[in-house]
Amino acid sequence: MDTVDSTEQPLLLALRALKLGDLLVAVPALRGLRRAFPDHRILYAAPAWIAEALELVGGIHHLPTPGLDDPLTVPRGAVDIAVNLHGNGAESRLRIDELQARRVIAHESPGLEGPPWSTGLPERERWTRLLNWHGIDADPLDFRLQRPAVPSPSPGATVIHVGAAYGSRLWPVERFADVAVQLAAAGHRIVLTGGTSERGRAEETAALAKRKGANLDDGLLAGRQGLAEFAATIAEARLVVSADTGAAHLASAYERPSVVLFGPAPAEEWGPPPGPHVVLTAVELRRGDVFSADPDPALLAVSVRDVLDAVERLDC
């Protein structure tokens, strides 16, 4: 856990108590803050489990923050500059207000100047645009990460990431298995990744693939990796196939070819930057309920053939 000592350096606190993908799209803004305030100690307020990934950004310290239910664990008045990278809702504004910072960088709200909140912006641009409005230079294309200190367990493998935070983004395991079988037959070495809670989906995918002649037992990495090793796996991948999750954002950060399957979230906001990436979705079918337990129709409209054709276009 990071400690706060305002006597050593002035503090800049950036609030974004969200998930891995949310951190990765905020990297350009964090880099802009790091350059603009070289004498400040920058604290990134986010869940504790994200610490290993935050180390890959460089020059940013971690303040474990599980969410917005409670005030941040920083003494009032200790923060020089507070930056709301979380959103523009009442909860995040309250947590920022409680800090009593000398300067607040945020979107426009009652009593606070800033750019108006706009929908339809790519997330990387949303946060760099915020900083630009406040006179801070930030480039939305400055999203690349440092390489993890740990090596990849499977350099050159094709990563199939079977998990997602919500059911709305869960492409059927049967389709993941079919993709794995076809790519393995084409010479790809397959690894299956996901979090601890997604280990079961990875095992089911491997079992289905085995029935069709592809043994993926040696590539079952889901639930067995910390964030640093997971990032290393992506950084050295031949190809990444994933729903709209942290795995897809890591593929962007390391410029690895990727096929990204979108469901409830709009690809125009959360999709990859320019690079060797293909987005697959059916916008006209999108229901848009991110927290649904059922896969979004826009995701289910993506077929195995669509994914294989995308891989062929990437020439992987």
Side-chain angles (χ1 to χ4, degrees), residues 3 46 59 74 84 86-87 99 123 168 178 199 213 219 223 227 229 241 243 247 263 268-269 271 287 289 294 313:
T3 58
V74 179
N84 190 347
H86 190 96
L99 296 173
E123 281 291 295
S168 61
D178 285 345
R199 174 76 182 177
L227 269 180
E229 191 175 22
V241 178
E268 60 270 22
E269 296 182 26
R287 188 169 55 214
D289 183 358
D294 301 317
R313 294 202 301 275

Side-chain angles (χ1 to χ4, degrees), residues 129-255:
R129 174 178 173 270
L130 169 66
L131 299 191
N132 294 161
W133 191 96
H134 286 275
I136 299 166
D137 184 45
D139 180 359
L141 296 181
D142 187 10
F143 55 81
R144 294 168 184 82
L145 295 178
Q146 298 176 1
R147 289 298 179 111
V150 298
S152 167
S154 300
T158 287
V159 174
I160 296 181
H161 189 78
V162 299
Y166 303 107
S168 61
R169 297 178 180 177
L170 291 177
W171 204 48
V173 291
E174 296 85 357
R175 300 187 198 179
F176 275 126
D178 285 345
V179 168
V181 169
Q182 293 293 327
L183 292 182
H188 290 246
R189 182 161 48 88
I190 307 295
V191 297
L192 302 176
T193 60
T196 302
S197 64
E198 295 149 355
R199 174 76 182 177
R201 277 180 62 85
E203 290 175 339
E204 185 178 357
T205 302
L208 290 169
K210 183 175 286 187
R211 292 175 199 165
K212 297 184 179 184
N215 189 338
L216 308 182
D217 291 348
D218 291 341
L220 271 171
L221 302 182
R224 295 179 174 174
Q225 294 185 299
L227 269 180
E229 191 175 22
F230 175 50
T233 302
I234 299 289
E236 298 294 334
R238 172 180 179 175
L239 168 71
V240 177
V241 178
S242 172
D244 170 32
T245 67
H249 292 293
L250 282 170
S252 296
Y254 291 115
E255 298 183 290

